[in-house]
Amino acid sequence: MTSEVALLGIRHHGPGSARAVAAALAQWRPDAVLIEGPVEADAVVHLAAGKDLVPPVALLAHAVDDPSRAAFWPYAAFSPEWVAIRYAVDHGLPVHFIDLPAGYAFVPAAGDRPWDRADDPAEEGGEAAEEPPADPLALLAGAAGHDDPERWWEDVVEHRAPGADALAPFAAVAEAMAALRAEGLGESRRDELREAHMRQRIRAARRAGHRRIAVVCGAFHVPALATAPTVAHDRALLAGLPKRVRADITWIPWTHRRLSQAAGYGAGVRSPGWYHHLFSTEGDPVPRWLTRAADLLRAEDHPVSSAHVIEAVRLAETLAVLRGRPLAGLTETLDAVRAVLCEGSDVALELVRDRLVVGDALGEVPDGAPAVPLQRDLARLQRSLRLRPEAAPRDLDLDLRKDTDAARSRLLHRLRLLGVGWGVPARSPVHSTGTFRESWRLCWQPEFAVRIAEAAQWGTTVEQAAVGKAVGTARAAVELAELTGLVETCLLAGLSGALPAVMRVLADCAALDTDVAHLAAALPALVRALRYGDVRGTDHGALAGAAAGLAERVCVGLPPACVGLDADGAAAMRARIDEVHGAIALLGPGPAAAGTTVVGTAAVADAAGAPDGLPDGLPERWATALRSLARREPAGSPATGVPGLLRGRAVRLLLDDGRLDAEEVGRRLRLVLSTANAPADAAGWVEGFLAGGGALLLHDPRLLALLDEWLCGVGGEVFTDVLPLLRRTFAGLEAGVRTTIGARVAAGPLDAAPAAPGTGGALDPDRADAAVPVLAVLLGVRPRIPRQPAGRDT
């Protein structure tokens, strides 16, 4: 019995090739279909028989012992391989994959893979000396006089409908590829091994009794499969293959956007949305596609009418004629969209490119597809929480006081801990400062399937895996800040099972770490974690003790730790000081300085009290540390002095807390700006003092006058040295503040403050205290009793 084989050479992900394959299979009527792809896929190809496997999808193969080693074979609705699979399952035909097993690609060392080894063992390093194979399409397009292989292929294949003989185009493509291979162009060691394995699989199909076999493969492989060498030759070629790695394979959802990316796991299809439209549209696709573009632009408030669509169609067809193309392609269509629908706007054109040329289509996979237990648990949670994976980014606002939203938050935080960044924290449009609200940006990526498979080593459910990952991360952590951040993550994710183990590691690490910078970097995460206790119902007693211990050690060690820092070290320490200052304010605000009337949040927070388990007086000890830092003067040697940046920052924080008055700040500024001080140190002090806002220079013109006087007195040579620092300082101020400061300096002397209308320039303490009860009601705290004016009965 003689078997006939039809070799259908295609271009992967080509709609014209897909239509040609469909026509060829209908004409050839095979009794078996063989497809280029990993042989392991035979185990899951039957899932394509149902309606639940919706492209774009991909075959995912990964090493059983190391899921991080994975490979993908994506298919869209317009992929010729997918058309062949659907034809086979719809007609009840056997379908097999004939490429090398995926396990060979997962051999750990690159030099152990057969296509990475040199033919000459004596070659240095054993590395292959082959150059990367040339692109066959580029070679053919160049021979035809075209400089763009994509456009040439579209003209000769994608834009032409199958003729009376559906097999004729494949014979022409095979002849062209045979001419290339006769010249030895584009061949590689890997291709030789793959083609030997394909020939072996074709022979096996013949031995199985199939008489009419259709082989769908890349056009470049057709000549090697048509003129098959002997069986002994192929066996000898494949005998050198190493032992392959055991691999699992399944179907996963894919996206058009991922198909468009040539790097990573993409396929390099530049216009999957356009290709899908070409494949799925009967008749002339251009008018229908331009109508979709008009609908998209109208939805985005662009004025586009039906007349625009008519003119765009005419322009696209005219451009195709002028350029000698059989049909208006994507280039002509986009030119028409830019000129007519977008009125020359590249911004609107990019919207069309993103939504229609590429698109956000996401495939679907049936529940019966092989998957690790962790993947199944995630799918169950997604259904129960009504969180459908979508390829298009979308925003999600959560109210943690609601059970469903709280469960969604825990799931997203657990997945982030496992390395699955389905949700990324985002800024809420409400700009709420409460801890009961969370905002996320959700976007599902196909490669998350690999990360889920990797995370399966930690547990069979999302919660178990997150607990195991948290404990493992804690034991491997080397920095204190990493552990405190992990504690915060455990609370956000509701991982009560992991928290005791993480806290034990944290306590041990904190006891041994003497670096104040490490302690200061670790404290803010612990303090943030304490804020979630009320809404999430977590017990933060142990956290409060750990946070208080870190805060105490930072207060004691801060001044000595700031001695002898260079510019980069001082900038990093300044950021740490700001973070610790905010954290200690959350741990427990202290009383305002004696004799000072505090109006606003400081007075209201004063009544709130410190969280349970925290020592009293912690804010006072922090203020003492800042005073000690502010009093230190720069010594002659940088190794014994404190940078002006840190001293100025300490003064500013004390001023903002009401622990220093304006007169004392002015005295310190005069000392710093005196001629006895180095200009560079004075500039650093000013930078630290003004960081975070320069509005106080507008409210206290004495400070502005001192700064202006010092700046005018700096010598020319020294001014050149301090200018970059001063520019950086004032560049950090608000634009309105910079403008107002410049206007005041230009207006004349700065020795008097402009009086506010109706105030005479003085602050009325009674009127300021009257606002405190109202502010307390708004914040929901008990207000402090306002200061009584002198002479009033108490």
Side-chain angles (χ1 to χ4, degrees), residues 116 335 377 400 458:
D116 291 328
D335 287 344
D377 183 62
L400 301 180
W458 300 106

CSV table of all heavy atoms in Angstrom, one decimal, residues 116 335 377 400 458:
chain,number,residue,atom,x,y,z
A,116,ASP,N,23.4,23.3,20.1
A,116,ASP,CA,24.3,24.2,20.6
A,116,ASP,C,25.8,23.7,20.5
A,116,ASP,O,26.7,24.4,20.8
A,116,ASP,CB,24.0,24.6,22.1
A,116,ASP,CG,22.8,25.4,22.2
A,116,ASP,OD1,22.5,26.1,21.3
A,116,ASP,OD2,22.1,25.2,23.2
A,335,ASP,N,-2.5,54.7,6.6
A,335,ASP,CA,-2.3,56.0,6.0
A,335,ASP,C,-3.7,56.7,5.8
A,335,ASP,O,-3.8,57.9,6.0
A,335,ASP,CB,-1.6,55.9,4.6
A,335,ASP,CG,-0.1,55.5,4.8
A,335,ASP,OD1,0.4,55.7,5.9
A,335,ASP,OD2,0.5,55.1,3.8
A,377,ASP,N,-7.1,25.9,42.1
A,377,ASP,CA,-7.6,26.7,43.2
A,377,ASP,C,-7.7,28.1,42.8
A,377,ASP,O,-8.7,28.8,43.2
A,377,ASP,CB,-6.6,26.5,44.4
A,377,ASP,CG,-7.1,27.2,45.6
A,377,ASP,OD1,-8.2,26.8,46.1
A,377,ASP,OD2,-6.5,28.1,46.1
A,400,LEU,N,-12.4,47.6,51.9
A,400,LEU,CA,-12.1,46.5,52.8
A,400,LEU,C,-13.0,46.2,53.9
A,400,LEU,O,-12.9,45.2,54.6
A,400,LEU,CB,-10.7,46.7,53.3
A,400,LEU,CG,-9.5,46.9,52.3
A,400,LEU,CD1,-8.2,47.2,53.0
A,400,LEU,CD2,-9.5,45.8,51.3
A,458,TRP,N,5.2,25.4,46.7
A,458,TRP,CA,5.0,25.9,48.0
A,458,TRP,C,3.7,25.4,48.6
A,458,TRP,O,3.4,25.6,49.8
A,458,TRP,CB,5.0,27.4,48.1
A,458,TRP,CG,6.3,28.1,47.6
A,458,TRP,CD1,6.5,28.7,46.4
A,458,TRP,CD2,7.5,28.1,48.3
A,458,TRP,NE1,7.8,29.1,46.3
A,458,TRP,CE2,8.5,28.8,47.5
A,458,TRP,CE3,7.9,27.6,49.6
A,458,TRP,CZ2,9.8,29.0,47.9
A,458,TRP,CZ3,9.2,27.8,50.0
A,458,TRP,CH2,10.1,28.5,49.1
